[in-house]
Amino acid sequence: MLVITGRTARQPWSNGALVARACAALAERGHTITLAAQSVDDPALFARCERIHTFESFDQTATDWPAGFASWANRQRRNVAHDVSMSFARVAGADVWLPLEPSGGAWLAQARRSLSFKSLAISVTRHHGAIRAWASDAFFVVPPTGEDAPIRRVLAVGSTAAGETARALHRAHGLGERVLKVDPFTMTPAGPLDQRATLRAATRRMLDIAPDRRVVLISVPQGVGRLLDPLFTAARDLAERNLARSPILLALAKDCFALHDRAGRCAAAANVRILGLSERFDAALAASDAVALPIRAARGLFHQGGAARLGADALGHGKPLLALSGASGYGLARVKSSLGDAPGLVIDHNSPGEWGRAMAQLADDDWLGRATAAAIEIGAPMPFERFGATLEILLADTAAERAEGRGI
């Protein structure tokens, strides 16, 4: 099997972690894996791959969609022997596509919402490959396959991603019926309750957070700009009214300096703790009382960093969700438990008032207890192994179709 992806980071909450887990799961099932990647942060993650091809000359200041990456990826697909190929990047042709990286249109939509005019102009200049990718999709210049055979399957995680993917493919190429939806899955085992309690106490001491203070975890991709301002402002306002009952925002951030700057602009720096590129995702979850999904997924086949799976991991660890309507995974906050309780709240409007009312719920011990119990119940049947088995079956079926020279 040939697996094509962009840069693979080592953090367990990144898309790179999913690529590594998927490769390991397929290798454990007896398949030979060749990885073609833009770059690999930690080659040890792919020890079970037979070969790793990297594109070291790729411009690290640009996005994953320029023609250079597409040309290189499709050349690997032609030259590397394989029975079936899977791509995580839109521009690389493959038998199976699992959309983890944004399309050009999605990137532009987020950039317009989050950046000032000057920053947008600079970003568009640096990421001109995204403009070409957007134009190719918008004007149907590039077929959905890259070069050769049609995409046989598109695998999307969760209802939001599946719906967006089907609509975009149907609009552009009439391929919406090829999208298969899989249920969300967890990536980080929760571990025994006593270990989680010990990890919670130790992490909070390290971060100087009182044991009884509520903590809300967020995962912050790069380039969010002003999108988190309503959440920061709400945390500041709650602290001004009642410091003891106000929550602390714990952020897993790729750009610590930009995030600290945004928190400072909102006068909320005292209410934010930034972990940076932490590999201790289990510690961050253990230290938290709830997980926020504060950024809407841009339209156009887009997964917002690790946020698409963060909701499932939160429920797997028994953490309620505070999710903005339209965020990747926000539907998980509405699923009802056997007792009729939902494992969180959905915020319809991205305003400080709406976020403030949602975070104020965390001070209600009765509500938090019921939401936590619902999260534990709903998160239990979401192991990664189920996704790995589904992926193997899909790839095996697609390989058989490819060998027979037939479509779906």
Side-chain angles (χ1 to χ4, degrees), residues 53-283:
H53 300 249
T54 58
F55 191 15
E56 297 298 344
S57 60
F58 186 76
D59 182 5
Q60 295 296 313
T61 64
T63 61
D64 282 348
W65 317 289
F69 176 72
S71 175
W72 172 83
N74 287 310
R75 187 164 62 250
Q76 300 301 319
R77 190 165 61 91
R78 289 194 303 269
N79 296 336
V80 175
H82 60 275
D83 296 316
V84 65
S85 59
M86 178 172 63
S87 174
F88 296 90
R90 170 68 178 86
V91 297
D95 300 305
V96 173
W97 175 38
L98 179 61
L100 294 184
E101 297 164 356
S103 67
W107 182 87
L108 285 172
Q110 181 190 340
R112 287 197 303 270
R113 292 204 314 263
S114 62
L115 301 178
S116 65
F117 178 80
K118 178 180 179 181
S119 298
L120 177 62
I122 294 173
S123 189
V124 166
T125 302
R126 289 178 176 174
H127 299 79
H128 51 81
I131 305 299
R132 292 199 300 271
W134 166 79
S136 297
D137 280 345
F139 299 102
F140 317 136
V141 175
V142 178
T145 61
E147 293 182 359
D148 300 327
I151 295 175
R152 300 174 186 274
R153 294 286 192 279
V154 180
L155 190 63
V157 181
S159 299
T160 302
E164 289 296 336
T165 305
R167 282 191 291 272
L169 284 181
H170 180 73
R171 174 186 62 79
H173 309 291
L175 297 177
E177 70 279 2
R178 299 190 179 182
V179 178
L180 301 179
K181 179 180 77 71
V182 295
D183 294 329
F185 51 86
T186 58
M187 289 278 290
T188 307
L193 286 174
D194 58 341
Q195 292 183 10
R196 278 185 272 173
T198 301
L199 191 57
R200 175 186 177 87
T203 305
R204 283 178 168 242
R205 284 196 301 271
M206 179 189 72
L207 297 170
D208 192 25
I209 299 175
D212 58 346
R213 193 83 178 267
R214 301 303 191 206
V215 174
V216 178
L217 178 67
I218 56 176
S219 173
V220 186
Q222 288 178 310
V224 297
R226 301 184 295 260
L227 296 180
L228 291 175
D229 287 2
L231 184 62
F232 289 156
T233 302
R236 179 203 67 198
D237 292 345
L238 287 173
E240 289 177 351
R241 292 200 297 267
N242 188 344
L243 181 61
R245 305 293 282 178
S246 64
I248 290 289
L249 299 177
L250 179 59
L252 295 168
K254 294 182 178 181
D255 191 337
C256 298
F257 297 104
L259 186 65
H260 190 271
D261 179 65
R262 292 310 309 180
R265 288 169 183 259
C266 297
N271 307 97
V272 179
R273 303 286 190 276
I274 302 173
L275 285 182
L277 291 175
S278 173
E279 297 186 29
R280 294 306 309 273
F281 188 36
D282 56 339

Side-chain angles (χ1 to χ4, degrees), residues 13-15 219 221 254 281 293 303-311 313:
W13 45 279
S14 68
N15 285 331
S219 173
K254 294 182 178 181
F281 188 36
L293 306 177
H303 279 220
Q304 185 73 263
R309 296 177 308 281
L310 182 60
D313 274 326

Side-chain angles (χ1 to χ4, degrees), residues 310-395:
L310 182 60
D313 274 326
L315 299 186
H317 284 247
K319 306 298 179 180
L321 294 173
L322 306 179
L324 182 65
S325 179
S328 296
Y330 81 100
L332 293 173
R334 288 179 168 159
V335 179
K336 295 294 182 66
S337 70
S338 59
L339 296 178
D341 295 315
L345 299 171
V346 174
I347 293 89
D348 291 324
H349 304 289
N350 192 23
S351 66
E354 290 289 319
W355 278 109
R357 282 187 284 274
M359 288 192 290
Q361 282 285 86
L362 298 177
D364 184 340
D365 294 333
D366 179 62
W367 179 88
L368 184 58
R370 289 185 283 107
T372 299
I376 293 172
E377 178 185 323
I378 295 167
M382 292 185 180
F384 176 83
E385 288 70 25
R386 184 178 61 180
F387 170 76
T390 300
L391 182 60
E392 182 191 32
I393 294 172
L394 174 65
L395 289 171

Side-chain angles (χ1 to χ4, degrees), residues 289-309:
D289 297 290
V291 172
L293 306 177
I295 302 174
R296 286 191 174 97
R299 297 183 66 86
L301 325 182
F302 188 67
H303 279 220
Q304 185 73 263
R309 296 177 308 281

